[in-house]
Amino acid sequence: MICFPNAKINLGLSVTEKRPDGYHNLETVFYPVALEDALEINTSSRNGEKFRLTQYGTKIAGNPEDNLVIKACKLLDNDFDLPPLDIRLYKHIPSGAGLGGGSSDAAFTLKLLNEYCRLHLSEESLETYAAMLGADCAFFIRNRPTFAEGIGNRFSPVSLSLKGYRIAIVKPDVFVSTREAFSAIRPHRPQYAVKETVSLPVREWKEKLVNDFEASVFPQYPVIGEIKQELYRSGAVYASMSGSGSSVFGLFDPEAIIPSFSFGPETFTFQGVL
Ligand SMILES: C[C@](O)(CO)[C@H](O)COP(=O)(O)OP(=O)(O)OC[C@H]1O[C@@H](n2ccc(N)nc2=O)[C@H](O)[C@@H]1O
Ligand SMILES: Nc1ncnc2c1ncn2[C@@H]1O[C@H](COP(=O)(O)OP(=O)(O)OP(=O)(O)O)[C@@H](O)[C@H]1O
């Protein structure tokens, strides 16, 4: 059985306070984007390790044992004793990009296992499991435009449709650690609340919808800020870094023609329609 875990972008991101547990409270809107990995599971008849993951496509830093796909399998295996599985993951979503690629793989693994192994878990229950794997994993269970607060895991729906808008995503060859990006921020209440700002027309977002990580990440990695400027020069109605970086997205009007960007051979680019 196969599925296609998609990426997300953050529309605005305010880091409002540091919590006693070291995490940060934030406010953001998650929006799904059709930039996808592919994830396949099959029952395995081989002996040895119960879950075998083979990775294709873009490299992921770290040990395969730490892959969130395996963590998701083990989490459900604790409660449901799953059969041995062969898993294939084709990575297309760059990691360390603020696009939630790892979180999406984790959430889609839970959804795929639920269906494949007929576990009959509700969406609420899948969200609870997903939240154990990462702060923003649970978003990918319902995978619809969502206002998130708390550590990024308390959700309410937003009535926002960007249907028809074109999107460009550019990620330079820079890896931003989410943990380090949080530690460089001075939390504060935003001047304009994210939830209210996204209800304004997109062309009014530029001055009001802010990603707090930009202020600390751009000085450290100037290329990310340059990409944002280039997206605006190319006609984006709104451009922003996503999550803690290093990717930047631009939203373009439905009839816009987006030029191809050349930020060097190691730069990842994606263009699609929302
Ligand atoms: C910044 C965002 O990309 C916005 O969408 C996400 O909140 C990040 O979520 P994520 O990648 O799932 O993050 P996790 O893997 O859970 O956390 C990585 C690290 O970031 C820090 N972290 C994360 C989320 C949060 N609300 N406060 C934090 O301080 C913690 O040090 C944590 O150890
Ligand atoms: N299936 C996976 N795909 C990508 N990264 C994974 C995966 N499993 C574990 N990881 C680890 O997660 C980290 C990055 O994950 P991810 O791609 O979700 O980050 P991100 O783009 O910064 O997203 P986010 O918006 O959630 O911060 C890397 O350190 C990587 O080793």
Side-chain angles (χ1 to χ4, degrees):
M1 190 176 270
I2 193 162
C3 69
F4 299 93
N6 59 272
K8 57 85 179 161
I9 51 172
N10 294 88
L11 301 172
L13 203 169
S14 300
V15 179
T16 55
E17 58 184 343
K18 183 163 184 183
R19 301 152 45 109
D21 63 6
Y23 269 69
H24 294 76
N25 285 333
L26 54 86
E27 292 178 8
T28 189
V29 169
F30 292 123
Y31 202 94
V33 178
L35 159 61
E36 295 167 340
D37 291 340
L39 176 70
E40 186 183 12
I41 55 171
N42 288 294
T43 310
S44 159
S45 52
R46 120 198 89 68
N47 294 321
E49 64 203 319
K50 194 165 182 186
F51 307 117
R52 186 168 67 184
L53 174 68
T54 314
Q55 270 169 224
Y56 306 87
T58 319
K59 293 266 171 301
I60 307 173
N63 183 339
E65 271 300 293
D66 297 329
N67 197 295
L68 285 158
V69 168
I70 295 293
K71 291 191 174 165
C73 290
K74 289 183 175 167
L75 186 64
L76 289 186
D77 192 42
N78 285 336
D79 291 349
F80 298 99
D81 192 19
L82 304 177
L85 296 168
D86 267 329
I87 306 153
R88 291 183 180 81
L89 174 64
Y90 184 90
K91 282 302 295 181
H92 184 51
I93 306 171
S95 68
L99 296 172
S103 305
S104 183
D105 292 343
F108 275 77
T109 301
L110 298 175
K111 291 196 274 190
L112 196 62
L113 290 172
N114 190 35
E115 209 182 323
Y116 187 69
C117 303
R118 300 199 177 90
L119 305 179
H120 306 294
L121 293 168
S122 64
E123 284 192 319
E124 286 80 4
S125 176
L126 288 168
E127 280 182 340
T128 305
Y129 280 111
M132 296 174 197
L133 295 166
D136 57 7
C137 279
F139 156 74
F140 293 100
I141 298 294
R142 291 180 210 253
N143 210 15
R144 62 186 182 198
T146 298
F147 175 69
E149 53 195 328
I151 63 164
N153 59 354
R154 265 200 357 249
F155 299 149
S156 45
V158 280
S159 75
L160 166 69
S161 174
L162 298 174
K163 207 168 165 42
Y165 274 91
R166 292 178 178 275
I167 182 166
I169 298 176
V170 181
K171 185 206 168 276
D173 188 22
V174 169
F175 185 94
V176 179
S177 149
T178 303
R179 183 191 299 264
E180 282 169 28
F182 270 107
S183 66
I185 273 192
R186 201 168 43 78
H188 62 280
R189 297 297 317 169
Q191 191 179 358
Y192 303 102
V194 173
K195 198 174 187 177
E196 276 134 48
T197 309
V198 294
S199 67
L200 299 171
V202 179
R203 54 190 64 262
E204 291 179 33
W205 290 3
K206 186 174 177 181
E207 310 303 332
K208 292 190 169 141
L209 195 59
V210 175
N211 178 342
D212 283 348
F213 285 111
E214 290 184 353
S216 54
V217 172
F218 284 5
Q220 204 182 347
Y221 303 106
V223 65
I224 306 177
E226 284 158 23
I227 290 169
K228 178 173 166 175
Q229 293 315 318
E230 183 60 24
L231 286 166
Y232 272 127
R233 274 196 295 273
S234 306
V237 191
Y238 179 71
S240 171
M241 192 169 79
S242 187
S244 52
S246 59
S247 74
V248 183
F249 65 88
L251 304 181
F252 295 78
D253 282 326
E255 64 283 359
I257 296 162
I258 309 177
S260 50
F261 302 100
S262 54
F263 292 101
E266 302 303 324
T267 302
F268 170 92
T269 56
F270 166 83
Q271 292 195 15
V273 180
L274 291 173

